[in-house]
C-alpha cells in the first residue's frame, strides 16, 4: 500500500520562495506519474504541475509557469515543488498525487494522495 506525505509548507511574504517535498513509501513509484495540485477555500482542486517518472514529460499550469519547478529523485522515491515569486493567489493547501501511467491534469485520474501542506502567501 503506497503512501505520500507532503512537507515544506508555511507562511511567506509575496515574492518569497518555498520548496515543498513529497516523500513516497510503501511501494516504489518509479513507474508512476507524479503531480502537484492545490485547493483554496471555496474553490475546486486545481492542477499545478506534473512529471513522468521516466523523465519524458513535464507539464505546468499557466498560472505557475516560469515560477514553479517540479522535480523528482527516483533514488529517494520523492518529488519536489520549488515555488518562487509567490503571490497571494498561490495561497492554498498543496497536495502531492500519483498515478500509474501517463500524466494528466485531472485530479480524479490520480490514485494516491498525500494529506496536504498549507501554503500561505501574505501581501
Amino acid at each position: 500500500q503506497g503512501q505520500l506525505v507532503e512537507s515544506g509548507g508555511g507562511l511567506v511574504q509575496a515574492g518569497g520562495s518555498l520548496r515543498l517535498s513529497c516523500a513516497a513509501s510503501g511501494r516504489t513509484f518509479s513507474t508512476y506519474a507524479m503531480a502537484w495540485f492545490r485547493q483554496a477555500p471555496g474553490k475546486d482542486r486545481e492542477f499545478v504541475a506534473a512529471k513522468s517518472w521516466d523523465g519524458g514529460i513535464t507539464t505546468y499550469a499557466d498560472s505557475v509557469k516560469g515560477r514553479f519547478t517540479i522535480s523528482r529523485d527516483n533514488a529517494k522515491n520523492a518529488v519536489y515543488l520549488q515555488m518562487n515569486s509567490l503571490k497571494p493567489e498561490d495561497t492554498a493547501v498543496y497536495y502531492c498525487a500519483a498515478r500509474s501511467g501517463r500524466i494528466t491534469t485531472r485530479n480524479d485520474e490520480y490514485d494516491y494522495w498525500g494529506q496536504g501542506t498549507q501554503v500561505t502567501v501574505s501581501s
Side-chain angles (χ1 to χ4, degrees):
Q1 184 76 293
Q3 291 182 313
L4 304 175
V5 180
E6 304 95 336
S7 62
L11 173 65
V12 297
Q13 293 184 335
S17 298
L18 282 174
R19 184 174 184 257
L20 305 183
S21 297
C22 174
S25 63
R27 66 160 297 144
T28 299
F29 286 86
S30 59
T31 62
Y32 283 62
M34 304 294 296
W36 289 94
F37 289 80
R38 66 187 183 186
Q39 187 167 22
K43 295 185 177 181
D44 294 332
R45 189 168 298 185
E46 66 175 351
F47 172 78
V48 176
K51 194 175 191 69
S52 60
W53 279 110
D54 57 3
I57 302 171
T58 305
T59 304
Y60 296 96
D62 288 341
S63 60
V64 306
K65 195 171 299 181
R67 299 188 298 122
F68 292 9
T69 302
I70 185 172
S71 61
R72 68 187 185 279
D73 187 337
N74 287 344
K76 296 181 178 180
N77 211 18
V79 63
Y80 308 95
L81 186 68
Q82 178 66 46
M83 305 184 294
N84 299 324
S85 301
L86 284 162
K87 306 174 181 179
E89 51 262 45
D90 293 319
T91 295
V93 176
Y94 283 70
Y95 298 91
C96 178
R99 72 183 301 272
S100 179
R102 70 181 302 276
I103 64 173
T104 87
T105 61
R106 297 177 60 89
N107 68 79
D108 58 1
E109 294 182 344
Y110 284 81
D111 305 307
Y112 295 89
W113 292 89
Q115 295 278 72
T117 185
Q118 177 71 47
V119 172
T120 303
V121 184
S122 64
S123 59

